Amino acid sequence: MVEGERLGIGTHLITGADASVTLAFADDSRLQLREHSHLRLDQLSRYGHTGMVDTRLRLEQGRSSNRVTPAKGPASRYIIDAPTATSSVRGTQFRVSAGGQGGVAATEVLEGRVQVGNQRGERRVARGQATRNRALDARPDMPEALLPAPVLARTGLRLDPLPAQIAWETVAQATQYRVEVVRADQPEILVFARDTADTTMTVPDLPPGLLRLLVRAVSADGVEGLDAQADFEVRDQPAPPLTVRPVNGETITSPRPRFEWSQVQGAASTVLQVATEPQFLQPVLEQEGRGTRVRAAEDLPPGDYFWRVASRDGNGHRGRFGQPVALGISDAPVDPGLQPPQAARGQLTLRWQAGEPGQRYRVQLDKRGDFAQPLLDQQVDQPEVTLKRPWHGTLHVRVQTIDDDGYGGPFSPAQQVALPCRTCYGAGAGALLLLLLL
């Protein structure tokens, strides 16, 4: 079956798990057939240009939701036959359950009125009511009020961005809840559905568009109540940037890493999110930058994280987030790769491992090792420092890397350099005279 396909009398529709289908009839009435349902099209008639339509359907299993266009003449009918009763209307919104699997057959009316009956009698069901149809040889039950709509936890309701965690208050007499997301302009089109006994749920990533969240309580015998609803929009543009650094799975030894991404045409800024889980239900960091990189505004404790970015256009509209990228933050000591010192012509040269292009270095020397009042505290462009007539004894050395944005990472662990007497500095260039004590 494909979208737009025409269906004729006798068509038998069967939906599986996580599947639904929406039918549009000649008078623009709509039927949504839910998962695990069987429906047969028994009568589909249209009376010329009068606008009158005669529609008769047989729901053999599962559930359907119906939005019926008001009748335009005496021959207009919309009828659903279920195993234990028939529901007929002339313009309303209602749901029909065929029963089975622990639930009774029922008709639930959301708007207007529905006539429900079988060979034993009829019931007129008004808005906000339901009738249970327990058997073909028993008259449908007296209409009862539908369970009230759950109260959504508005303070925690954040449907932008997705995935999102939603919550609602408990409804008395409810044994479970039905959560759906439909198209706001065509609510018969179902894009997400789940049943749960909890009062919280995670709504996954969804296709772009203006959508509507529906949450309803379900009684012990499967009758569904009134809907709580909230509209939200999922935007697809502007497109998310491509992530550059850190790469997936990289471990960073700085508590405030710098994130980089590609430039997106039409993007005025980029939104960065960092979370401890890939669904980003509770981001630990969210900040915005106008370039193609930004440094974390606060320290991140050691641990495993995920980061992602989204673009925002000049009107302030943010597009979809890109795929999450795994990131590790480590507080392990940074080894600067300090090389054995070199002494020549009364000078001592210390070298260490070079960092990335554009980085500078801050090197400190101290006799006591607490660096409260260092003997040397100097910034250099190259990974080395030269001292004239160095001190006698043992010195403590540590190095800090400074990025091109001025952010200084943590100092390396202090290492000891044992210095000989001054007379030991000979004239031979590059002689290795000193011992580095690790």
mmCIF file of all heavy atoms in Angstrom, residues 346-382:
data_model
loop_
_atom_site.group_PDB
_atom_site.id
_atom_site.type_symbol
_atom_site.label_atom_id
_atom_site.label_comp_id
_atom_site.label_asym_id
_atom_site.label_seq_id
_atom_site.Cartn_x
_atom_site.Cartn_y
_atom_site.Cartn_z
ATOM 1 N N GLY A 346 77.172 27.837 30.094
ATOM 2 C CA GLY A 346 76.536 28.503 31.220
ATOM 3 C C GLY A 346 75.036 28.622 31.121
ATOM 4 O O GLY A 346 74.431 29.405 31.855
ATOM 5 N N GLN A 347 74.412 27.865 30.237
ATOM 6 C CA GLN A 347 72.965 27.916 30.073
ATOM 7 C C GLN A 347 72.374 26.510 30.206
ATOM 8 O O GLN A 347 73.021 25.511 29.890
ATOM 9 C CB GLN A 347 72.596 28.499 28.709
ATOM 10 C CG GLN A 347 72.957 29.970 28.544
ATOM 11 C CD GLN A 347 72.498 30.498 27.197
ATOM 12 O OE1 GLN A 347 72.401 29.747 26.230
ATOM 13 N NE2 GLN A 347 72.206 31.799 27.146
ATOM 14 N N LEU A 348 71.136 26.463 30.661
ATOM 15 C CA LEU A 348 70.396 25.220 30.771
ATOM 16 C C LEU A 348 69.138 25.327 29.916
ATOM 17 O O LEU A 348 68.390 26.291 30.024
ATOM 18 C CB LEU A 348 70.001 24.946 32.224
ATOM 19 C CG LEU A 348 69.155 23.694 32.465
ATOM 20 C CD1 LEU A 348 69.978 22.440 32.223
ATOM 21 C CD2 LEU A 348 68.588 23.695 33.874
ATOM 22 N N THR A 349 68.904 24.332 29.060
ATOM 23 C CA THR A 349 67.731 24.327 28.183
ATOM 24 C C THR A 349 66.836 23.141 28.539
ATOM 25 O O THR A 349 67.306 22.006 28.614
ATOM 26 C CB THR A 349 68.142 24.235 26.704
ATOM 27 O OG1 THR A 349 68.937 25.366 26.369
ATOM 28 C CG2 THR A 349 66.900 24.209 25.801
ATOM 29 N N LEU A 350 65.551 23.458 28.757
ATOM 30 C CA LEU A 350 64.543 22.437 29.019
ATOM 31 C C LEU A 350 63.591 22.373 27.831
ATOM 32 O O LEU A 350 63.112 23.414 27.349
ATOM 33 C CB LEU A 350 63.762 22.761 30.291
ATOM 34 C CG LEU A 350 64.550 22.757 31.604
ATOM 35 C CD1 LEU A 350 63.649 23.215 32.741
ATOM 36 C CD2 LEU A 350 65.103 21.383 31.889
ATOM 37 N N ARG A 351 63.302 21.160 27.376
ATOM 38 C CA ARG A 351 62.369 20.981 26.257
ATOM 39 C C ARG A 351 61.302 19.956 26.650
ATOM 40 O O ARG A 351 61.537 19.086 27.482
ATOM 41 C CB ARG A 351 63.101 20.508 24.995
ATOM 42 C CG ARG A 351 64.081 21.530 24.422
ATOM 43 C CD ARG A 351 64.651 21.052 23.090
ATOM 44 N NE ARG A 351 65.503 22.056 22.482
ATOM 45 C CZ ARG A 351 66.808 22.162 22.702
ATOM 46 N NH1 ARG A 351 67.413 21.304 23.516
ATOM 47 N NH2 ARG A 351 67.503 23.103 22.109
ATOM 48 N N TRP A 352 60.138 20.071 25.989
ATOM 49 C CA TRP A 352 59.045 19.140 26.228
ATOM 50 C C TRP A 352 58.295 18.900 24.927
ATOM 51 O O TRP A 352 58.592 19.537 23.893
ATOM 52 C CB TRP A 352 58.091 19.667 27.317
ATOM 53 C CG TRP A 352 57.582 21.063 27.050
ATOM 54 C CD1 TRP A 352 56.472 21.435 26.361
ATOM 55 C CD2 TRP A 352 58.225 22.284 27.458
ATOM 56 N NE1 TRP A 352 56.359 22.786 26.314
ATOM 57 C CE2 TRP A 352 57.410 23.351 26.997
ATOM 58 C CE3 TRP A 352 59.382 22.596 28.187
ATOM 59 C CZ2 TRP A 352 57.735 24.683 27.207
ATOM 60 C CZ3 TRP A 352 59.706 23.928 28.411
ATOM 61 C CH2 TRP A 352 58.874 24.960 27.922
ATOM 62 N N GLN A 353 57.333 18.035 24.979
ATOM 63 C CA GLN A 353 56.598 17.646 23.775
ATOM 64 C C GLN A 353 55.771 18.811 23.245
ATOM 65 O O GLN A 353 55.072 19.492 23.997
ATOM 66 C CB GLN A 353 55.681 16.458 24.075
ATOM 67 C CG GLN A 353 54.901 15.930 22.879
ATOM 68 C CD GLN A 353 54.081 14.710 23.238
ATOM 69 O OE1 GLN A 353 54.352 14.059 24.246
ATOM 70 N NE2 GLN A 353 53.089 14.394 22.427
ATOM 71 N N ALA A 354 55.828 19.014 21.933
ATOM 72 C CA ALA A 354 55.064 20.097 21.307
ATOM 73 C C ALA A 354 53.575 19.766 21.297
ATOM 74 O O ALA A 354 53.179 18.607 21.178
ATOM 75 C CB ALA A 354 55.556 20.332 19.889
ATOM 76 N N GLY A 355 52.745 20.800 21.436
ATOM 77 C CA GLY A 355 51.303 20.640 21.372
ATOM 78 C C GLY A 355 50.786 20.833 19.964
ATOM 79 O O GLY A 355 51.449 20.491 18.979
ATOM 80 N N GLU A 356 49.593 21.421 19.838
ATOM 81 C CA GLU A 356 48.985 21.643 18.532
ATOM 82 C C GLU A 356 49.375 23.016 17.999
ATOM 83 O O GLU A 356 49.758 23.910 18.764
ATOM 84 C CB GLU A 356 47.469 21.531 18.657
ATOM 85 C CG GLU A 356 47.004 20.155 19.119
ATOM 86 C CD GLU A 356 45.505 20.100 19.306
ATOM 87 O OE1 GLU A 356 44.843 21.124 19.029
ATOM 88 O OE2 GLU A 356 44.989 19.052 19.731
ATOM 89 N N PRO A 357 49.276 23.217 16.684
ATOM 90 C CA PRO A 357 49.610 24.524 16.107
ATOM 91 C C PRO A 357 48.783 25.639 16.755
ATOM 92 O O PRO A 357 47.579 25.487 16.979
ATOM 93 C CB PRO A 357 49.240 24.356 14.623
ATOM 94 C CG PRO A 357 49.349 22.881 14.371
ATOM 95 C CD PRO A 357 48.920 22.224 15.643
ATOM 96 N N GLY A 358 49.453 26.748 17.060
ATOM 97 C CA GLY A 358 48.781 27.892 17.677
ATOM 98 C C GLY A 358 48.820 27.895 19.193
ATOM 99 O O GLY A 358 48.484 28.895 19.816
ATOM 100 N N GLN A 359 49.231 26.785 19.809
ATOM 101 C CA GLN A 359 49.289 26.729 21.265
ATOM 102 C C GLN A 359 50.581 27.358 21.783
ATOM 103 O O GLN A 359 51.631 27.292 21.138
ATOM 104 C CB GLN A 359 49.177 25.285 21.755
ATOM 105 C CG GLN A 359 47.803 24.684 21.597
ATOM 106 C CD GLN A 359 47.716 23.280 22.155
ATOM 107 O OE1 GLN A 359 48.686 22.530 22.140
ATOM 108 N NE2 GLN A 359 46.537 22.909 22.657
ATOM 109 N N ARG A 360 50.483 27.959 22.973
ATOM 110 C CA ARG A 360 51.631 28.494 23.687
ATOM 111 C C ARG A 360 51.810 27.695 24.979
ATOM 112 O O ARG A 360 51.007 26.824 25.290
ATOM 113 C CB ARG A 360 51.441 29.985 23.981
ATOM 114 C CG ARG A 360 51.162 30.803 22.717
ATOM 115 C CD ARG A 360 50.997 32.278 23.024
ATOM 116 N NE ARG A 360 52.284 32.880 23.331
ATOM 117 C CZ ARG A 360 52.621 33.403 24.513
ATOM 118 N NH1 ARG A 360 51.740 33.392 25.519
ATOM 119 N NH2 ARG A 360 53.814 33.943 24.719
ATOM 120 N N TYR A 361 52.862 28.043 25.732
ATOM 121 C CA TYR A 361 53.197 27.255 26.911
ATOM 122 C C TYR A 361 53.574 28.178 28.066
ATOM 123 O O TYR A 361 54.191 29.226 27.863
ATOM 124 C CB TYR A 361 54.357 26.292 26.612
ATOM 125 C CG TYR A 361 54.153 25.506 25.342
ATOM 126 C CD1 TYR A 361 54.641 25.984 24.126
ATOM 127 C CD2 TYR A 361 53.451 24.312 25.346
ATOM 128 C CE1 TYR A 361 54.451 25.284 22.953
ATOM 129 C CE2 TYR A 361 53.253 23.602 24.175
ATOM 130 C CZ TYR A 361 53.742 24.101 22.979
ATOM 131 O OH TYR A 361 53.534 23.401 21.816
ATOM 132 N N ARG A 362 53.205 27.757 29.247
ATOM 133 C CA ARG A 362 53.619 28.440 30.469
ATOM 134 C C ARG A 362 54.431 27.444 31.288
ATOM 135 O O ARG A 362 53.943 26.361 31.630
ATOM 136 C CB ARG A 362 52.395 28.898 31.258
ATOM 137 C CG ARG A 362 52.732 29.638 32.547
ATOM 138 C CD ARG A 362 51.464 29.994 33.285
ATOM 139 N NE ARG A 362 51.749 30.684 34.559
ATOM 140 C CZ ARG A 362 50.810 31.021 35.446
ATOM 141 N NH1 ARG A 362 49.536 30.724 35.198
ATOM 142 N NH2 ARG A 362 51.143 31.648 36.557
ATOM 143 N N VAL A 363 55.662 27.801 31.583
ATOM 144 C CA VAL A 363 56.546 26.911 32.319
ATOM 145 C C VAL A 363 56.896 27.569 33.650
ATOM 146 O O VAL A 363 57.141 28.781 33.719
ATOM 147 C CB VAL A 363 57.820 26.593 31.504
ATOM 148 C CG1 VAL A 363 58.576 27.852 31.119
ATOM 149 C CG2 VAL A 363 58.723 25.634 32.260
ATOM 150 N N GLN A 364 56.911 26.786 34.693
ATOM 151 C CA GLN A 364 57.239 27.270 36.033
ATOM 152 C C GLN A 364 58.340 26.397 36.632
ATOM 153 O O GLN A 364 58.323 25.173 36.494
ATOM 154 C CB GLN A 364 56.012 27.246 36.949
ATOM 155 C CG GLN A 364 54.961 28.291 36.614
ATOM 156 C CD GLN A 364 53.817 28.296 37.614
ATOM 157 O OE1 GLN A 364 53.571 27.301 38.301
ATOM 158 N NE2 GLN A 364 53.099 29.412 37.705
ATOM 159 N N LEU A 365 59.304 27.058 37.307
ATOM 160 C CA LEU A 365 60.357 26.390 38.064
ATOM 161 C C LEU A 365 60.244 26.819 39.517
ATOM 162 O O LEU A 365 60.027 28.004 39.811
ATOM 163 C CB LEU A 365 61.739 26.738 37.522
ATOM 164 C CG LEU A 365 62.041 26.365 36.060
ATOM 165 C CD1 LEU A 365 63.456 26.763 35.714
ATOM 166 C CD2 LEU A 365 61.838 24.884 35.830
ATOM 167 N N ASP A 366 60.420 25.872 40.430
ATOM 168 C CA ASP A 366 60.273 26.175 41.846
ATOM 169 C C ASP A 366 61.204 25.279 42.646
ATOM 170 O O ASP A 366 61.409 24.102 42.299
ATOM 171 C CB ASP A 366 58.817 25.957 42.276
ATOM 172 C CG ASP A 366 58.551 26.428 43.690
ATOM 173 O OD1 ASP A 366 58.546 27.655 43.917
ATOM 174 O OD2 ASP A 366 58.367 25.558 44.557
ATOM 175 N N LYS A 367 61.798 25.835 43.729
ATOM 176 C CA LYS A 367 62.695 25.041 44.565
ATOM 177 C C LYS A 367 61.939 24.136 45.525
ATOM 178 O O LYS A 367 62.331 23.008 45.762
ATOM 179 C CB LYS A 367 63.624 25.967 45.351
ATOM 180 C CG LYS A 367 64.829 26.463 44.561
ATOM 181 C CD LYS A 367 65.822 27.141 45.483
ATOM 182 C CE LYS A 367 67.111 27.475 44.726
ATOM 183 N NZ LYS A 367 68.130 28.079 45.631
ATOM 184 N N ARG A 368 60.865 24.629 46.101
ATOM 185 C CA ARG A 368 60.143 23.879 47.137
ATOM 186 C C ARG A 368 59.137 22.885 46.552
ATOM 187 O O ARG A 368 58.796 21.892 47.195
ATOM 188 C CB ARG A 368 59.427 24.847 48.073
ATOM 189 C CG ARG A 368 60.356 25.801 48.795
ATOM 190 C CD ARG A 368 59.595 26.792 49.630
ATOM 191 N NE ARG A 368 58.714 26.129 50.586
ATOM 192 C CZ ARG A 368 57.869 26.767 51.408
ATOM 193 N NH1 ARG A 368 57.808 28.089 51.362
ATOM 194 N NH2 ARG A 368 57.112 26.093 52.253
ATOM 195 N N GLY A 369 58.581 23.186 45.405
ATOM 196 C CA GLY A 369 57.628 22.282 44.779
ATOM 197 C C GLY A 369 56.176 22.665 44.964
ATOM 198 O O GLY A 369 55.284 22.018 44.409
ATOM 199 N N ASP A 370 55.910 23.735 45.758
ATOM 200 C CA ASP A 370 54.514 24.164 45.907
ATOM 201 C C ASP A 370 54.143 25.272 44.936
ATOM 202 O O ASP A 370 52.983 25.651 44.824
ATOM 203 C CB ASP A 370 54.247 24.612 47.345
ATOM 204 C CG ASP A 370 55.162 25.766 47.766
ATOM 205 O OD1 ASP A 370 55.922 26.292 46.919
ATOM 206 O OD2 ASP A 370 55.100 26.136 48.956
ATOM 207 N N PHE A 371 55.120 25.836 44.259
ATOM 208 C CA PHE A 371 54.937 26.867 43.232
ATOM 209 C C PHE A 371 54.188 28.089 43.762
ATOM 210 O O PHE A 371 53.524 28.804 43.009
ATOM 211 C CB PHE A 371 54.214 26.290 42.012
ATOM 212 C CG PHE A 371 55.011 25.226 41.305
ATOM 213 C CD1 PHE A 371 54.858 23.883 41.645
ATOM 214 C CD2 PHE A 371 55.944 25.558 40.343
ATOM 215 C CE1 PHE A 371 55.597 22.896 41.014
ATOM 216 C CE2 PHE A 371 56.689 24.571 39.699
ATOM 217 C CZ PHE A 371 56.525 23.240 40.033
ATOM 218 N N ALA A 372 54.290 28.311 45.074
ATOM 219 C CA ALA A 372 53.684 29.519 45.650
ATOM 220 C C ALA A 372 54.424 30.765 45.191
ATOM 221 O O ALA A 372 53.817 31.804 44.915
ATOM 222 C CB ALA A 372 53.686 29.418 47.174
ATOM 223 N N GLN A 373 55.761 30.682 45.118
ATOM 224 C CA GLN A 373 56.591 31.781 44.640
ATOM 225 C C GLN A 373 57.645 31.200 43.701
ATOM 226 O O GLN A 373 58.796 31.002 44.081
ATOM 227 C CB GLN A 373 57.257 32.527 45.800
ATOM 228 C CG GLN A 373 56.268 33.261 46.707
ATOM 229 C CD GLN A 373 56.956 33.994 47.835
ATOM 230 O OE1 GLN A 373 58.031 33.604 48.287
ATOM 231 N NE2 GLN A 373 56.343 35.082 48.279
ATOM 232 N N PRO A 374 57.241 30.884 42.483
ATOM 233 C CA PRO A 374 58.171 30.209 41.573
ATOM 234 C C PRO A 374 59.380 31.070 41.232
ATOM 235 O O PRO A 374 59.281 32.303 41.146
ATOM 236 C CB PRO A 374 57.311 29.933 40.341
ATOM 237 C CG PRO A 374 56.189 30.906 40.408
ATOM 238 C CD PRO A 374 55.926 31.131 41.855
ATOM 239 N N LEU A 375 60.507 30.406 41.029
ATOM 240 C CA LEU A 375 61.711 31.112 40.606
ATOM 241 C C LEU A 375 61.571 31.590 39.165
ATOM 242 O O LEU A 375 62.158 32.607 38.794
ATOM 243 C CB LEU A 375 62.921 30.172 40.728
ATOM 244 C CG LEU A 375 63.237 29.685 42.156
ATOM 245 C CD1 LEU A 375 64.308 28.614 42.107
ATOM 246 C CD2 LEU A 375 63.658 30.847 43.038
ATOM 247 N N LEU A 376 60.807 30.847 38.377
ATOM 248 C CA LEU A 376 60.568 31.226 36.981
ATOM 249 C C LEU A 376 59.108 30.952 36.650
ATOM 250 O O LEU A 376 58.586 29.877 36.956
ATOM 251 C CB LEU A 376 61.474 30.421 36.034
ATOM 252 C CG LEU A 376 61.236 30.668 34.537
ATOM 253 C CD1 LEU A 376 61.773 32.041 34.144
ATOM 254 C CD2 LEU A 376 61.891 29.583 33.697
ATOM 255 N N ASP A 377 58.470 31.937 36.043
ATOM 256 C CA ASP A 377 57.085 31.791 35.573
ATOM 257 C C ASP A 377 57.011 32.521 34.241
ATOM 258 O O ASP A 377 56.878 33.748 34.192
ATOM 259 C CB ASP A 377 56.098 32.382 36.583
ATOM 260 C CG ASP A 377 54.650 32.046 36.230
ATOM 261 O OD1 ASP A 377 54.390 31.601 35.102
ATOM 262 O OD2 ASP A 377 53.778 32.231 37.106
ATOM 263 N N GLN A 378 57.089 31.770 33.156
ATOM 264 C CA GLN A 378 57.277 32.393 31.844
ATOM 265 C C GLN A 378 56.404 31.725 30.792
ATOM 266 O O GLN A 378 56.212 30.506 30.814
ATOM 267 C CB GLN A 378 58.752 32.290 31.442
ATOM 268 C CG GLN A 378 59.095 32.964 30.124
ATOM 269 C CD GLN A 378 60.578 32.886 29.829
ATOM 270 O OE1 GLN A 378 61.391 32.597 30.724
ATOM 271 N NE2 GLN A 378 60.964 33.152 28.594
ATOM 272 N N GLN A 379 55.877 32.530 29.866
ATOM 273 C CA GLN A 379 55.142 32.018 28.717
ATOM 274 C C GLN A 379 56.039 32.068 27.487
ATOM 275 O O GLN A 379 56.709 33.074 27.233
ATOM 276 C CB GLN A 379 53.859 32.822 28.469
ATOM 277 C CG GLN A 379 52.792 32.625 29.529
ATOM 278 C CD GLN A 379 51.444 33.201 29.113
ATOM 279 O OE1 GLN A 379 51.182 33.384 27.929
ATOM 280 N NE2 GLN A 379 50.600 33.465 30.101
ATOM 281 N N VAL A 380 56.022 30.976 26.722
ATOM 282 C CA VAL A 380 56.870 30.875 25.535
ATOM 283 C C VAL A 380 56.045 30.348 24.370
ATOM 284 O O VAL A 380 55.030 29.676 24.564
ATOM 285 C CB VAL A 380 58.080 29.952 25.795
ATOM 286 C CG1 VAL A 380 59.019 30.562 26.826
ATOM 287 C CG2 VAL A 380 57.618 28.572 26.252
ATOM 288 N N ASP A 381 56.494 30.672 23.172
ATOM 289 C CA ASP A 381 55.798 30.223 21.967
ATOM 290 C C ASP A 381 56.233 28.828 21.532
ATOM 291 O O ASP A 381 55.475 28.120 20.865
ATOM 292 C CB ASP A 381 56.051 31.200 20.819
ATOM 293 C CG ASP A 381 55.447 32.566 21.083
ATOM 294 O OD1 ASP A 381 54.429 32.627 21.796
ATOM 295 O OD2 ASP A 381 55.989 33.572 20.591
ATOM 296 N N GLN A 382 57.445 28.438 21.888
ATOM 297 C CA GLN A 382 57.978 27.149 21.510
ATOM 298 C C GLN A 382 58.075 26.253 22.743
ATOM 299 O O GLN A 382 58.188 26.744 23.866
ATOM 300 C CB GLN A 382 59.357 27.310 20.859
ATOM 301 C CG GLN A 382 59.351 28.183 19.611
ATOM 302 C CD GLN A 382 58.450 27.633 18.520
ATOM 303 O OE1 GLN A 382 58.394 26.419 18.309
ATOM 304 N NE2 GLN A 382 57.755 28.512 17.807
#
